[in-house]
Amino acid sequence: MEFRVLLAGLETGAFYGLIALGYFLFLRATAAVNFAVGAYVMFAGMTSAYLVVSHGLPQIVGVSAALLAAVVLAWISEDGILQPMLARTRQEFGPVMAIVAFMFVIEQGAGLIYGRAPLRGAELSDTLIPFGDGWIEAHDLIALAGSVVIFALAAAWLKHTGYGRMLRAVGDNADAAQALGLPVRRIRMSAVIATGLVCGAAGIFVAPQAALTYQSHLPFAIMGFLALVLGGTASAWAPLAGGVLLAMIETVSARTLGGSFRDYVLLALVLVVFSFRPEGLFAIRVRT
Amino acid sequence: MAEVKWKLLAAAVALAAQAIPVSAQTKAAGDPIVVGVIEDRSGGASFYSQESVKGFKLFIEMMNNGNFLYAKDAVGDKPGILGRPIQALYEDDENNPNLTLVKTRRLLENGAKIIFFLSGSGSTLQGRVVCSEQKILCMAPTNVSSRIVQPPNNDFVFTVASPAELNSGVYLEAWKKINVTKVAYVTDNSATAKTVADGYKKLFATAGITTAIDEQVETGARDMVAPLLRIRDAKPDLIFDLVQAAPESANLHRTAAKLGITIPRWGTTSITAQPKIWELAGDAINGVIVVDNLAPDNPNTLAVKAEYQKRYGAEAPYVFLHSVVWDGLMLTKKAAESTSSLDGTKLRDAVEGMTNFPSAYGQKGYTLSFAKDRHNGASLPGTVVVQFANRGPNKLWDVYQPK
């Protein structure tokens, strides 16, 4: 495989993986599929681009504001939408649809605040590394390495910290966890904040790579969800595996068959996964 | 003392005479004439649609104030249309042709007498049906698809910009000079991109240009490496960028630069019309060649450009969209003034009868001419070949210019 194709697949895969990790953390904490994670990514990326590129503020301000924005949005999803609804109903459909509605609120909010025109963020480093006849942007490598670090941190948090280990118990049955005396609310909030931080980082990474518009979130949400379905939920690394596999199939098929076949290839992939391994590549094994 | 009194009285009379009649002469008065505008605020055509709307808003304000620049010789100096102020009503069709029909009908229900389509070509192809049904004059000044003015349902719609058919002739002449026979196309999957791309590809194929590769990128595509590597392998004489959406087009050129692809890149007026592409692509846009409509020495262009930049700032990019929107408005005014009517059929007949109408785009002295079977007024001198330099279409291509 050509190095350029491999690199493109890895970069895209790491990005899809981060969105899938956002889904994964929120799912672990709340047992709800949060389709608004793509909107958190878009909003964070546009926030960073708006502040740094459009208004000339320092990168650190843009990065901090992007992370904060994504965390606030995740917090609103949990405390402002999900919890009040779950207090009234045990059905999953209503809260999920409410989150979808919130996704469109974020979309229109981004359009109102940042405008309808595309925004491209500032690279974390503007160094160009000569490669072949062209170059590789240092930002792309930073984004790739940064994504791996985020996965490692998430995996360590889930495995080696009390809140991380208790997260699954809370997600599976919050009432039972409460009865056992676990600090349910604090555990959930820590996962929600982690979701926001992961999505914020994804937004900061992607904004300089592809200009974002307020409508960019839908493909993000779809590809992130597919990455989660592919990878499964066995560990924090599973979304990364799903993201990389998805992106590699997408990139290699685009390279060999052409871009017009992309949708057919992805559809076939999803059908195969749902038919033969609906739990994803890495699933939690439960002894019965 | 008596002399002083007379002088004061004369001055007062002069002031009063100036104050009242001047305002009556230079400002449109009476019931407004509603002009409906189909725009794209949020879809794939929004990046260029909003450029057009920006010009449109300024130009109707100028018209209502009786400021017609060089065109006053052709359209008169009566403010507005028929001395009445123009009031614009806007509807967003999101560049979704299915919405265009509904939105156009809504504009008519809300009193629009004339429709301006400032969204994508795909939208106008749907919207023009309403123009025919309701016998309303419709202007689609910015659209370049030749199909808009071809049957069926073309009897009340006019276009102003040089269409793909005319531009393709210029591309072919230019390519002859550099021995181009094999072209790689890149397009996106939007309705407008498909309409425009199909038009160009068909015309080039008829002229004997072969397709090295035809690549389609997803709207919202994040990565362009794979399509560009396929294009490089196909060894085309040039890459023809038919991507309509600004982020994807910019990404295409950035990735080409990143991969070190040196195959000449050409594009359509979609690139020159969207300053956002230049901004997003940065230096990677330099070198791209486009058959455009703005010549640096056309005094009419310069007059409209000066007004535009007076309003929006000296650095505001002035693009061909602004000129063709101005032309569309001037043609509409001329039709209304010459028939003293807003009846769609009379307006349509008047536009069909216009020849040698001075234009704000094209080469110096360029004019627009229409006829019953010719609802696009453009001709060859309406085009120029420009090359991007310093992140803008700042240079005339030195190999060939249409005469």
Side-chain angles (χ1 to χ4, degrees):
Chain A
M1 187 189 296
E2 293 155 291
F3 178 74
R4 286 286 192 180
V5 174
L6 178 68
L7 186 63
L10 289 175
E11 284 168 9
T12 308
F15 175 64
Y16 291 164
L18 283 179
I19 305 169
L21 182 62
Y23 274 111
F24 171 79
L25 291 169
F26 204 89
L27 184 70
R28 272 275 174 107
T30 64
V33 178
N34 182 355
F35 287 105
V37 289
Y40 305 164
V41 173
M42 172 275 294
F43 198 92
M46 289 188 83
T47 301
S48 156
Y50 182 76
L51 294 176
V52 179
V53 176
S54 306
H55 286 82
L57 293 173
Q59 184 75 266
I60 186 71
V61 176
V63 168
S64 309
L67 293 173
L68 181 67
V71 167
V72 168
L73 292 174
W75 170 70
I76 293 172
S77 305
E78 160 69 358
D79 257 20
I81 297 168
L82 212 51
Q83 284 308 314
M85 286 198 78
L86 287 173
R88 288 195 300 264
T89 176
R90 288 288 162 189
Q91 289 185 337
E92 287 174 4
F93 183 71
V96 169
M97 289 315 293
I99 293 277
V100 170
F102 183 53
M103 175 180 86
F104 288 109
V105 170
I106 298 171
E107 174 191 289
Q108 293 306 315
L112 282 174
I113 298 167
Y114 304 127
R116 311 279 171 177
L119 290 175
R120 195 165 83 80
E123 289 89 354
L124 295 173
S125 161
D126 55 8
T127 305
L128 302 176
I129 304 158
F131 182 84
D133 296 329
W135 61 79
I136 292 169
E137 290 177 10
H139 172 88
D140 294 346
L141 300 180
I142 293 170
L144 188 55
S147 302
V148 175
V149 169
I150 289 169
F151 275 98
L153 289 172
W157 180 65
L158 288 172
K159 200 170 179 183
H160 301 298
T161 67
Y163 276 17
R165 284 199 297 270
M166 288 185 279
L167 189 60
R168 195 174 148 211
V170 171
D172 284 350
N173 192 333
D175 293 335
Q178 188 90 51
L180 287 169
L182 301 186
V184 171
R185 179 161 164 71
R186 271 184 283 163
I187 294 169
R188 283 178 78 126
M189 279 317 294
S190 64
V192 166
I193 289 167
T195 302
L197 291 173
V198 167
C199 292
I204 292 160
F205 293 153
V206 78
Q209 294 170 330
L212 300 177
T213 72
Y214 68 107
Q215 290 179 319
S216 299
H217 65 98
L218 268 178
F220 294 171
I222 293 167
M223 299 312 282
F225 183 68
L226 286 181
L228 182 74
V229 170
L230 266 180
T233 53
S235 79
W237 293 102
L240 179 63
V244 170
L245 179 65
L246 179 67
M248 291 310 295
I249 290 170
E250 189 186 20
T251 310
V252 171
S253 72
R255 176 71 176 103
T256 50
L257 302 172
S260 46
F261 285 90
R262 173 187 179 270
D263 289 348
Y264 303 111
V265 171
L266 292 182
L267 188 63
L269 176 69
V270 170
L271 285 175
V272 168
V273 170
F274 276 128
S275 303
F276 297 105
R277 205 172 166 83
E279 72 277 21
L281 294 177
F282 305 99
I284 297 167
R285 304 275 174 221
V286 181
R287 274 176 291 185
T288 54
Chain B
M1 190 65 188
E3 195 184 343
V4 173
K5 269 185 187 170
W6 274 112
K7 277 184 181 170
L8 282 172
L9 187 62
V13 169
L15 272 175
Q18 262 188 346
I20 300 161
V22 165
S23 65
Q25 276 167 13
T26 57
K27 290 260 186 195
D31 290 339
I33 290 172
V34 179
V35 175
V37 179
I38 292 289
E39 61 172 331
D40 175 13
R41 271 185 230 141
S42 50
S46 59
F47 314 115
Y48 52 88
S49 177
Q50 289 309 298
E51 279 296 324
S52 309
V53 170
K54 218 167 139 186
F56 186 88
K57 285 179 176 167
L58 167 66
F59 302 150
I60 57 169
E61 200 182 304
M62 287 169 65
M63 289 174 76
N64 286 339
N65 289 329
N67 182 5
F68 299 102
L69 304 172
Y70 67 88
K72 71 172 189 294
D73 296 338
V75 303
D77 56 3
K78 207 188 279 180
I81 290 177
L82 303 172
R84 291 161 59 187
I86 304 164
Q87 183 195 340
L89 274 186
Y90 299 89
E91 284 288 348
D92 176 14
D93 78 344
E94 300 165 28
N95 195 32
N96 177 350
N98 297 325
L99 279 179
T100 315
L101 272 177
V102 182
K103 300 284 182 145
T104 308
R105 289 205 170 96
R106 188 183 291 171
L107 287 170
L108 297 183
E109 283 163 16
N110 289 328
K113 300 291 180 198
I114 297 158
I115 299 288
F116 267 68
F117 289 108
L118 300 181
S119 186
S121 289
S123 295
T124 306
L125 276 167
Q126 284 290 328
R128 68 180 182 157
V129 174
V130 182
C131 312
S132 282
E133 270 174 18
Q134 303 296 321
K135 300 192 187 325
I136 290 286
L137 177 71
C138 291
M139 281 280 169
T142 59
N143 294 147
V144 297
S145 170
S146 312
R147 283 175 56 202
I148 291 169
V149 292
Q150 288 165 2
N153 301 313
N154 64 327
D155 43 350
F156 278 84
V157 66
F158 294 85
T159 59
V160 178
S162 60
E165 204 163 34
L166 182 68
N167 292 350
S168 66
V170 180
Y171 284 111
L172 289 167
E173 282 303 312
W175 293 350
K176 263 187 210 165
K177 308 281 178 197
I178 52 171
N179 303 317
V180 170
T181 58
K182 206 165 71 162
V183 172
Y185 299 104
V186 193
T187 185
D188 63 54
N189 60 353
S190 67
T192 295
K194 188 163 167 40
T195 306
V196 173
D198 286 351
Y200 274 114
K201 285 189 262 188
K202 197 173 154 192
L203 292 162
F204 293 151
T206 309
I209 297 289
T210 56
T211 302
I213 191 165
D214 193 350
E215 278 295 305
Q216 182 183 296
V217 297
E218 197 80 8
T219 305
R222 185 190 156 278
D223 181 57
M224 300 278 180
V225 168
L228 279 162
L229 290 178
R230 281 171 62 79
I231 287 170
R232 188 195 61 190
D233 293 351
K235 297 187 171 44
D237 295 324
L238 59 85
I239 300 170
F240 196 59
D241 173 10
L242 288 158
V243 176
Q244 299 292 300
E248 289 75 21
S249 181
N251 202 358
L252 178 79
H253 294 288
R254 288 185 67 239
T255 308
K258 191 161 83 172
L259 296 175
I261 290 175
T262 53
I263 301 163
R265 283 168 287 143
W266 288 60
T268 67
T269 43
S270 169
I271 302 179
T272 46
Q274 300 184 77
K276 200 74 199 174
I277 295 179
W278 327 343
E279 181 195 322
L280 294 173
D283 286 336
I285 200 74
N286 292 340
V288 173
I289 302 169
V290 175
V291 173
D292 193 41
N293 299 119
L294 293 187
D297 59 346
N298 182 337
N300 296 351
T301 307
L302 296 175
V304 184
K305 182 180 176 180
E307 291 290 331
Y308 184 85
Q309 293 187 330
K310 195 159 87 186
R311 164 62 61 88
Y312 295 115
E315 297 302 314
Y318 182 83
V319 299
F320 89 95
L321 295 171
H322 305 126
S323 277
V324 294
V325 168
W326 169 265
D327 282 350
L329 283 164
M330 292 303 109
L331 288 163
T332 304
K333 177 172 171 65
K334 171 76 175 171
E337 300 297 342
S338 62
T339 58
S340 301
S341 168
L342 294 174
D343 176 76
T345 307
K346 286 182 182 169
L347 292 175
R348 186 266 316 264
D349 293 346
V351 178
E352 284 179 347
M354 283 185 206
T355 54
N356 301 321
F357 189 86
S359 172
Y361 78 90
Q363 298 170 18
K364 192 176 175 182
Y366 171 69
T367 57
L368 299 163
S369 295
F370 297 84
K372 194 168 180 53
D373 58 352
R374 190 180 169 203
H375 277 206
N376 172 269
S379 56
L380 197 62
T383 60
V384 289
V385 188
V386 297
Q387 185 163 29
F388 276 80
N390 300 320
R391 299 185 177 194
N394 296 323
K395 199 178 126 187
L396 287 176
W397 193 44
D398 48 16
V399 178
Y400 167 75
Q401 288 297 327
K403 299 288 178 205

mmCIF file of all heavy atoms in Angstrom, chain B residues 287-317:
data_model
loop_
_atom_site.group_PDB
_atom_site.id
_atom_site.type_symbol
_atom_site.label_atom_id
_atom_site.label_comp_id
_atom_site.label_asym_id
_atom_site.label_seq_id
_atom_site.Cartn_x
_atom_site.Cartn_y
_atom_site.Cartn_z
ATOM 1 N N GLY B 287 -1.941 29.557 -9.820
ATOM 2 C CA GLY B 287 -1.677 28.753 -11.012
ATOM 3 C C GLY B 287 -2.929 28.212 -11.672
ATOM 4 O O GLY B 287 -2.919 27.870 -12.851
ATOM 5 N N VAL B 288 -4.039 28.137 -10.919
ATOM 6 C CA VAL B 288 -5.284 27.608 -11.487
ATOM 7 C C VAL B 288 -5.789 28.569 -12.576
ATOM 8 O O VAL B 288 -5.733 29.791 -12.411
ATOM 9 C CB VAL B 288 -6.357 27.438 -10.375
ATOM 10 C CG1 VAL B 288 -7.705 27.059 -10.967
ATOM 11 C CG2 VAL B 288 -5.895 26.396 -9.375
ATOM 12 N N ILE B 289 -6.261 27.996 -13.681
ATOM 13 C CA ILE B 289 -6.704 28.812 -14.821
ATOM 14 C C ILE B 289 -8.209 28.631 -15.013
ATOM 15 O O ILE B 289 -8.726 27.527 -14.924
ATOM 16 C CB ILE B 289 -5.942 28.407 -16.099
ATOM 17 C CG1 ILE B 289 -4.430 28.560 -15.878
ATOM 18 C CG2 ILE B 289 -6.385 29.258 -17.296
ATOM 19 C CD1 ILE B 289 -3.579 27.933 -16.965
ATOM 20 N N VAL B 290 -8.884 29.745 -15.273
ATOM 21 C CA VAL B 290 -10.352 29.737 -15.380
ATOM 22 C C VAL B 290 -10.788 30.623 -16.545
ATOM 23 O O VAL B 290 -10.215 31.686 -16.760
ATOM 24 C CB VAL B 290 -10.990 30.283 -14.068
ATOM 25 C CG1 VAL B 290 -12.497 30.407 -14.202
ATOM 26 C CG2 VAL B 290 -10.643 29.403 -12.872
ATOM 27 N N VAL B 291 -11.808 30.178 -17.271
ATOM 28 C CA VAL B 291 -12.452 31.074 -18.240
ATOM 29 C C VAL B 291 -13.468 31.887 -17.449
ATOM 30 O O VAL B 291 -14.484 31.365 -16.999
ATOM 31 C CB VAL B 291 -13.127 30.279 -19.378
ATOM 32 C CG1 VAL B 291 -13.937 31.216 -20.267
ATOM 33 C CG2 VAL B 291 -12.078 29.540 -20.194
ATOM 34 N N ASP B 292 -13.145 33.154 -17.265
ATOM 35 C CA ASP B 292 -13.932 34.024 -16.402
ATOM 36 C C ASP B 292 -14.603 35.105 -17.239
ATOM 37 O O ASP B 292 -14.536 35.079 -18.482
ATOM 38 C CB ASP B 292 -13.007 34.639 -15.328
ATOM 39 C CG ASP B 292 -13.773 35.302 -14.201
ATOM 40 O OD1 ASP B 292 -14.788 34.735 -13.767
ATOM 41 O OD2 ASP B 292 -13.356 36.398 -13.760
ATOM 42 N N ASN B 293 -15.225 36.058 -16.565
ATOM 43 C CA ASN B 293 -15.970 37.097 -17.276
ATOM 44 C C ASN B 293 -15.510 38.518 -16.973
ATOM 45 O O ASN B 293 -16.114 39.466 -17.477
ATOM 46 C CB ASN B 293 -17.460 36.989 -16.936
ATOM 47 C CG ASN B 293 -18.047 35.665 -17.354
ATOM 48 O OD1 ASN B 293 -18.536 34.917 -16.523
ATOM 49 N ND2 ASN B 293 -17.986 35.340 -18.622
ATOM 50 N N LEU B 294 -14.506 38.683 -16.131
ATOM 51 C CA LEU B 294 -14.115 40.051 -15.771
ATOM 52 C C LEU B 294 -12.789 40.443 -16.424
ATOM 53 O O LEU B 294 -11.758 39.827 -16.161
ATOM 54 C CB LEU B 294 -13.996 40.195 -14.251
ATOM 55 C CG LEU B 294 -15.276 40.084 -13.441
ATOM 56 C CD1 LEU B 294 -15.009 40.420 -11.978
ATOM 57 C CD2 LEU B 294 -16.391 40.966 -13.983
ATOM 58 N N ALA B 295 -12.853 41.482 -17.255
ATOM 59 C CA ALA B 295 -11.627 42.008 -17.871
ATOM 60 C C ALA B 295 -11.178 43.235 -17.087
ATOM 61 O O ALA B 295 -12.011 44.010 -16.616
ATOM 62 C CB ALA B 295 -11.899 42.381 -19.319
ATOM 63 N N PRO B 296 -9.886 43.410 -16.928
ATOM 64 C CA PRO B 296 -9.412 44.500 -16.071
ATOM 65 C C PRO B 296 -9.613 45.902 -16.658
ATOM 66 O O PRO B 296 -9.504 46.888 -15.936
ATOM 67 C CB PRO B 296 -7.912 44.195 -15.921
ATOM 68 C CG PRO B 296 -7.570 43.313 -17.066
ATOM 69 C CD PRO B 296 -8.802 42.567 -17.437
ATOM 70 N N ASP B 297 -9.941 45.981 -17.960
ATOM 71 C CA ASP B 297 -10.019 47.314 -18.582
ATOM 72 C C ASP B 297 -11.426 47.683 -19.049
ATOM 73 O O ASP B 297 -11.596 48.620 -19.827
ATOM 74 C CB ASP B 297 -9.042 47.383 -19.770
ATOM 75 C CG ASP B 297 -9.364 46.330 -20.819
ATOM 76 O OD1 ASP B 297 -10.145 45.404 -20.515
ATOM 77 O OD2 ASP B 297 -8.832 46.434 -21.941
ATOM 78 N N ASN B 298 -12.438 46.951 -18.595
ATOM 79 C CA ASN B 298 -13.803 47.303 -18.985
ATOM 80 C C ASN B 298 -14.304 48.411 -18.059
ATOM 81 O O ASN B 298 -14.487 48.195 -16.858
ATOM 82 C CB ASN B 298 -14.706 46.060 -18.883
ATOM 83 C CG ASN B 298 -16.139 46.345 -19.331
ATOM 84 O OD1 ASN B 298 -16.594 47.485 -19.311
ATOM 85 N ND2 ASN B 298 -16.827 45.302 -19.745
ATOM 86 N N PRO B 299 -14.543 49.632 -18.584
ATOM 87 C CA PRO B 299 -14.929 50.749 -17.710
ATOM 88 C C PRO B 299 -16.258 50.509 -16.994
ATOM 89 O O PRO B 299 -16.459 51.002 -15.876
ATOM 90 C CB PRO B 299 -15.017 51.945 -18.672
ATOM 91 C CG PRO B 299 -15.058 51.369 -20.041
ATOM 92 C CD PRO B 299 -14.433 50.020 -19.993
ATOM 93 N N ASN B 300 -17.162 49.757 -17.640
ATOM 94 C CA ASN B 300 -18.449 49.466 -16.982
ATOM 95 C C ASN B 300 -18.230 48.587 -15.747
ATOM 96 O O ASN B 300 -18.819 48.812 -14.691
ATOM 97 C CB ASN B 300 -19.401 48.757 -17.949
ATOM 98 C CG ASN B 300 -19.777 49.628 -19.133
ATOM 99 O OD1 ASN B 300 -19.465 50.815 -19.151
ATOM 100 N ND2 ASN B 300 -20.434 49.041 -20.115
ATOM 101 N N THR B 301 -17.374 47.590 -15.917
ATOM 102 C CA THR B 301 -17.042 46.722 -14.778
ATOM 103 C C THR B 301 -16.453 47.563 -13.662
ATOM 104 O O THR B 301 -16.832 47.436 -12.489
ATOM 105 C CB THR B 301 -16.004 45.655 -15.192
ATOM 106 O OG1 THR B 301 -16.475 44.980 -16.349
ATOM 107 C CG2 THR B 301 -15.747 44.660 -14.084
ATOM 108 N N LEU B 302 -15.522 48.421 -14.032
ATOM 109 C CA LEU B 302 -14.819 49.217 -13.028
ATOM 110 C C LEU B 302 -15.766 50.160 -12.298
ATOM 111 O O LEU B 302 -15.622 50.393 -11.089
ATOM 112 C CB LEU B 302 -13.669 49.996 -13.681
ATOM 113 C CG LEU B 302 -12.558 49.117 -14.290
ATOM 114 C CD1 LEU B 302 -11.523 49.964 -15.009
ATOM 115 C CD2 LEU B 302 -11.886 48.267 -13.211
ATOM 116 N N ALA B 303 -16.774 50.692 -13.035
ATOM 117 C CA ALA B 303 -17.738 51.611 -12.402
ATOM 118 C C ALA B 303 -18.558 50.875 -11.345
ATOM 119 O O ALA B 303 -18.745 51.372 -10.217
ATOM 120 C CB ALA B 303 -18.659 52.207 -13.470
ATOM 121 N N VAL B 304 -19.047 49.666 -11.679
ATOM 122 C CA VAL B 304 -19.863 48.912 -10.718
ATOM 123 C C VAL B 304 -18.986 48.435 -9.560
ATOM 124 O O VAL B 304 -19.386 48.477 -8.392
ATOM 125 C CB VAL B 304 -20.574 47.718 -11.407
ATOM 126 C CG1 VAL B 304 -21.494 47.003 -10.422
ATOM 127 C CG2 VAL B 304 -21.387 48.198 -12.609
ATOM 128 N N LYS B 305 -17.778 48.011 -9.911
ATOM 129 C CA LYS B 305 -16.838 47.541 -8.886
ATOM 130 C C LYS B 305 -16.543 48.650 -7.863
ATOM 131 O O LYS B 305 -16.483 48.407 -6.654
ATOM 132 C CB LYS B 305 -15.541 47.091 -9.568
ATOM 133 C CG LYS B 305 -14.494 46.534 -8.636
ATOM 134 C CD LYS B 305 -13.254 46.126 -9.416
ATOM 135 C CE LYS B 305 -12.156 45.649 -8.477
ATOM 136 N NZ LYS B 305 -10.947 45.255 -9.203
ATOM 137 N N ALA B 306 -16.393 49.873 -8.376
ATOM 138 C CA ALA B 306 -16.090 51.000 -7.475
ATOM 139 C C ALA B 306 -17.220 51.202 -6.473
ATOM 140 O O ALA B 306 -16.985 51.433 -5.273
ATOM 141 C CB ALA B 306 -15.853 52.268 -8.293
ATOM 142 N N GLU B 307 -18.463 51.123 -6.963
ATOM 143 C CA GLU B 307 -19.617 51.274 -6.057
ATOM 144 C C GLU B 307 -19.643 50.141 -5.035
ATOM 145 O O GLU B 307 -19.933 50.351 -3.860
ATOM 146 C CB GLU B 307 -20.930 51.268 -6.856
ATOM 147 C CG GLU B 307 -21.132 52.484 -7.716
ATOM 148 C CD GLU B 307 -21.410 53.740 -6.899
ATOM 149 O OE1 GLU B 307 -21.969 53.629 -5.796
ATOM 150 O OE2 GLU B 307 -21.042 54.842 -7.364
ATOM 151 N N TYR B 308 -19.341 48.923 -5.521
ATOM 152 C CA TYR B 308 -19.373 47.743 -4.649
ATOM 153 C C TYR B 308 -18.338 47.877 -3.537
ATOM 154 O O TYR B 308 -18.616 47.628 -2.362
ATOM 155 C CB TYR B 308 -19.116 46.488 -5.491
ATOM 156 C CG TYR B 308 -19.209 45.198 -4.707
ATOM 157 C CD1 TYR B 308 -20.430 44.575 -4.498
ATOM 158 C CD2 TYR B 308 -18.072 44.610 -4.162
ATOM 159 C CE1 TYR B 308 -20.526 43.403 -3.765
ATOM 160 C CE2 TYR B 308 -18.154 43.443 -3.424
ATOM 161 C CZ TYR B 308 -19.389 42.841 -3.230
ATOM 162 O OH TYR B 308 -19.469 41.675 -2.497
ATOM 163 N N GLN B 309 -17.150 48.293 -3.941
ATOM 164 C CA GLN B 309 -16.076 48.380 -2.939
ATOM 165 C C GLN B 309 -16.228 49.614 -2.049
ATOM 166 O O GLN B 309 -15.705 49.642 -0.941
ATOM 167 C CB GLN B 309 -14.714 48.321 -3.629
ATOM 168 C CG GLN B 309 -14.499 46.929 -4.244
ATOM 169 C CD GLN B 309 -13.128 46.693 -4.815
ATOM 170 O OE1 GLN B 309 -12.486 47.633 -5.284
ATOM 171 N NE2 GLN B 309 -12.685 45.443 -4.819
ATOM 172 N N LYS B 310 -16.954 50.616 -2.566
ATOM 173 C CA LYS B 310 -17.252 51.775 -1.707
ATOM 174 C C LYS B 310 -18.146 51.314 -0.549
ATOM 175 O O LYS B 310 -18.000 51.738 0.585
ATOM 176 C CB LYS B 310 -17.965 52.854 -2.537
ATOM 177 C CG LYS B 310 -18.002 54.216 -1.883
ATOM 178 C CD LYS B 310 -18.236 55.302 -2.905
ATOM 179 C CE LYS B 310 -19.710 55.507 -3.136
ATOM 180 N NZ LYS B 310 -20.009 56.457 -4.219
ATOM 181 N N ARG B 311 -19.056 50.381 -0.844
ATOM 182 C CA ARG B 311 -19.982 49.895 0.177
ATOM 183 C C ARG B 311 -19.339 48.839 1.090
ATOM 184 O O ARG B 311 -19.427 48.885 2.291
ATOM 185 C CB ARG B 311 -21.232 49.320 -0.490
ATOM 186 C CG ARG B 311 -22.105 48.439 0.419
ATOM 187 C CD ARG B 311 -22.671 49.200 1.625
ATOM 188 N NE ARG B 311 -23.502 50.291 1.182
ATOM 189 C CZ ARG B 311 -24.800 50.176 0.925
ATOM 190 N NH1 ARG B 311 -25.389 49.011 1.104
ATOM 191 N NH2 ARG B 311 -25.489 51.205 0.526
ATOM 192 N N TYR B 312 -18.676 47.873 0.452
ATOM 193 C CA TYR B 312 -18.221 46.712 1.236
ATOM 194 C C TYR B 312 -16.729 46.742 1.596
ATOM 195 O O TYR B 312 -16.230 45.796 2.189
ATOM 196 C CB TYR B 312 -18.546 45.419 0.489
ATOM 197 C CG TYR B 312 -20.034 45.185 0.339
ATOM 198 C CD1 TYR B 312 -20.646 45.188 -0.912
ATOM 199 C CD2 TYR B 312 -20.834 44.988 1.463
ATOM 200 C CE1 TYR B 312 -22.012 44.980 -1.044
ATOM 201 C CE2 TYR B 312 -22.212 44.788 1.335
ATOM 202 C CZ TYR B 312 -22.788 44.788 0.080
ATOM 203 O OH TYR B 312 -24.147 44.590 -0.039
ATOM 204 N N GLY B 313 -16.051 47.807 1.221
ATOM 205 C CA GLY B 313 -14.634 47.919 1.569
ATOM 206 C C GLY B 313 -13.735 47.669 0.370
ATOM 207 O O GLY B 313 -14.065 46.871 -0.511
ATOM 208 N N ALA B 314 -12.617 48.360 0.363
ATOM 209 C CA ALA B 314 -11.702 48.308 -0.782
ATOM 210 C C ALA B 314 -11.127 46.915 -1.014
ATOM 211 O O ALA B 314 -10.727 46.569 -2.119
ATOM 212 C CB ALA B 314 -10.569 49.310 -0.575
ATOM 213 N N GLU B 315 -11.086 46.109 0.034
ATOM 214 C CA GLU B 315 -10.516 44.765 -0.098
ATOM 215 C C GLU B 315 -11.576 43.716 -0.451
ATOM 216 O O GLU B 315 -11.239 42.551 -0.670
ATOM 217 C CB GLU B 315 -9.823 44.351 1.209
ATOM 218 C CG GLU B 315 -8.633 45.223 1.600
ATOM 219 C CD GLU B 315 -7.555 45.247 0.527
ATOM 220 O OE1 GLU B 315 -7.205 44.178 0.012
ATOM 221 O OE2 GLU B 315 -7.084 46.351 0.187
ATOM 222 N N ALA B 316 -12.846 44.127 -0.477
ATOM 223 C CA ALA B 316 -13.910 43.147 -0.758
ATOM 224 C C ALA B 316 -13.750 42.619 -2.174
ATOM 225 O O ALA B 316 -13.740 43.403 -3.126
ATOM 226 C CB ALA B 316 -15.270 43.803 -0.588
ATOM 227 N N PRO B 317 -13.608 41.298 -2.348
ATOM 228 C CA PRO B 317 -13.410 40.773 -3.696
ATOM 229 C C PRO B 317 -14.634 41.033 -4.580
ATOM 230 O O PRO B 317 -15.760 40.736 -4.175
ATOM 231 C CB PRO B 317 -13.217 39.266 -3.474
ATOM 232 C CG PRO B 317 -12.972 39.083 -2.031
ATOM 233 C CD PRO B 317 -13.629 40.233 -1.339
#
